[in-house]
Amino acid sequence: MEKILVINPGSTSTKVAVFEDEKQLFSRTIRHSDDELKRFSWVMEQLDFRTESVIGALEEANFDISTLTCIMSRGGMLPPCPSGAYRINDDMVNYMYAQKVDVHISNVGCAVADKLAKKLGVPAFIYDPVTVDELQPIARITGVPELPKVSRGHALNTHAMAHICAREVMHKPIEECTFIVQHIGGGTSVWLIDKGYSIDMYSDDDAGFAPERCGKLQAMDLIKLCYSGKYDLKQMSRMVRGNSGLKAHLGTSDAREVEKLIADGDEHAKLIYEALAYGIAKGIGDLATVVKGKVDRIILTGGVAYSKMLTDWIKERVEWIAPVEIMAGEYEMEALAQGGLRVLRNEETAHEFKYNAPESL
């Protein structure tokens, strides 16, 4: 019998769950306020804060941490890689510390898991990190050869939702299905999953904007802003990933707060929120062209997919392509636990991550 701790750091929360084999024993979502997070200028500075949050949730649940046999974490921004499990090792943690710009909050997850796993003497893994890359060759081509398209986003949750939809809605193997899966959280990504492979996708900096991300921008204007002297590299990176989208327009990335503004008659908030739906719908429509419109289902998932106002606006624009399934929330915790269980049962072999740090580090 395996007891697996699952850790999933998000931009404004830390999710914690414990599974006994396939059975979830408990789950907690720890919310982090803007005031708590604003003291951190870099995601890896949150290591102790996030670790204490995890330990606090376990203590509150009266769970004996010494009974754990494995720790799973949502994976961070590794170099482009195949899907599957990756053992958390010193190379992986050191790689995350070497990333100073264009970082993701999930980067700190492996460091939290590593810290706890070493203390307990148990293995730790990530599964389907945000840089899972299965793009078909034609999808990689851009107009600038030095900047080929890469895949990065919510691979874990979108793949899990595709499997659930294939099994429970289509009643077919995923290899016989074509889905467009749109994740909507603090960041967004939309994936074309065809016959089990994510052959094309948009992340939250090349499709519609997200609650905290910039979305697609016109290149020349962005270049001019970068060279305006107003911002350095770090400031620009934080602008487009963390301080843009709903947050930049309305001062909050919380969809519930935005909907309250709209309910109170704020027409500007309504315009911005509908623009979020508009951009998301355009990304879905783009990907439908790749498979010539032959899409079995469009899936809307992620925490913000609980917003009926937003999903209704999206559905109005895309349901002519295919029926829309609202699968709000995330299946990431279960997917992580099941991935770890497959490794522990020797049904799957974990990849070993190697990192050759520059001598200057």
Side-chain angles (χ1 to χ4, degrees), residues 56-315:
L58 294 169
E59 290 176 346
E60 184 180 325
N62 294 316
F63 180 79
D64 182 1
I65 193 172
S66 68
T67 64
L68 291 172
T69 58
C70 177
I71 300 177
M72 299 293 299
S73 174
R74 183 183 178 200
M77 291 188 71
L78 299 178
C81 59
S83 60
Y86 290 78
R87 186 180 303 277
I88 298 175
N89 54 24
D90 289 342
D91 276 10
M92 183 183 294
V93 175
N94 290 338
Y95 179 83
M96 296 307 176
Y97 272 102
Q99 309 311 302
K100 304 297 184 181
V101 298
D102 192 24
V103 296
H104 191 277
I105 187 58
S106 58
N107 286 17
V108 77
C110 71
V112 174
D114 183 64
K115 187 173 182 177
L116 293 173
K118 285 178 176 175
K119 178 180 178 181
L120 298 171
V122 299
F125 307 93
I126 63 171
Y127 201 92
D128 278 355
V130 296
T131 50
V132 165
D133 192 333
E134 299 172 332
L135 299 185
Q136 57 184 343
I138 196 171
R140 301 184 187 279
I141 307 301
T142 74
V144 181
E146 294 172 276
L147 298 174
K149 181 179 178 64
V150 296
S151 173
R152 60 169 178 255
H154 305 83
L156 180 65
N157 186 55
T158 53
H159 280 232
M161 291 302 183
H163 279 278
I164 293 172
C165 190
R167 183 175 67 248
E168 299 183 3
V169 178
M170 302 301 297
H171 307 291
K172 294 179 179 180
I174 194 170
E175 292 80 10
E176 296 178 13
C177 301
T178 300
F179 300 123
I180 296 176
V181 189
Q182 173 72 63
H183 179 100
I184 319 170
T188 69
S189 58
V190 57
W191 301 71
L192 175 59
I193 301 178
D194 184 43
K195 299 176 176 58
Y197 293 94
S198 48
I199 64 170
D200 205 344
M201 61 84 61
Y202 286 124
S203 62
D204 49 21
D205 54 7
D206 56 4
F209 68 84
E212 297 180 351
R213 308 289 194 268
C214 66
K216 185 185 296 182
L217 301 173
Q218 293 180 317
M220 285 305 301
D221 290 332
L222 178 60
I223 291 168
K224 289 175 184 177
L225 188 60
C226 289
Y227 284 89
S228 67
K230 295 171 61 177
Y231 309 101
D232 61 22
L233 176 60
K234 185 175 182 180
Q235 289 170 323
M236 284 300 303
S237 298
R238 285 187 60 79
M239 178 190 293
V240 301
R241 298 189 65 80
N243 291 324
S244 51
L246 293 182
K247 189 173 182 180
H249 283 285
L250 302 175
T252 179
S253 58
D254 190 326
R256 295 164 297 185
E257 293 181 15
V258 175
E259 291 199 19
K260 186 177 185 304
L261 291 173
I262 295 171
D264 290 340
D266 189 328
E267 289 298 321
H268 178 65
K270 182 179 179 182
L271 175 65
I272 298 302
Y273 203 43
E274 189 167 4
L276 171 64
Y278 179 89
I280 287 171
K282 286 172 68 177
I284 292 170
D286 277 359
L287 289 182
T289 67
V290 174
V291 288
K292 304 173 184 176
K294 296 177 182 178
V295 179
D296 292 306
R297 289 293 189 277
I298 296 167
I299 301 169
L300 303 181
T301 185
V304 184
Y306 282 111
S307 170
K308 187 174 186 302
M309 181 184 295
L310 187 75
T311 58
D312 281 351
W313 280 331
I314 297 170
K315 284 175 64 177

Side-chain angles (χ1 to χ4, degrees), residues 333-344:
M333 308 302 279
E334 293 85 350
L336 284 166
Q338 290 173 12
L341 198 57
R342 287 192 294 273
V343 173
L344 294 173

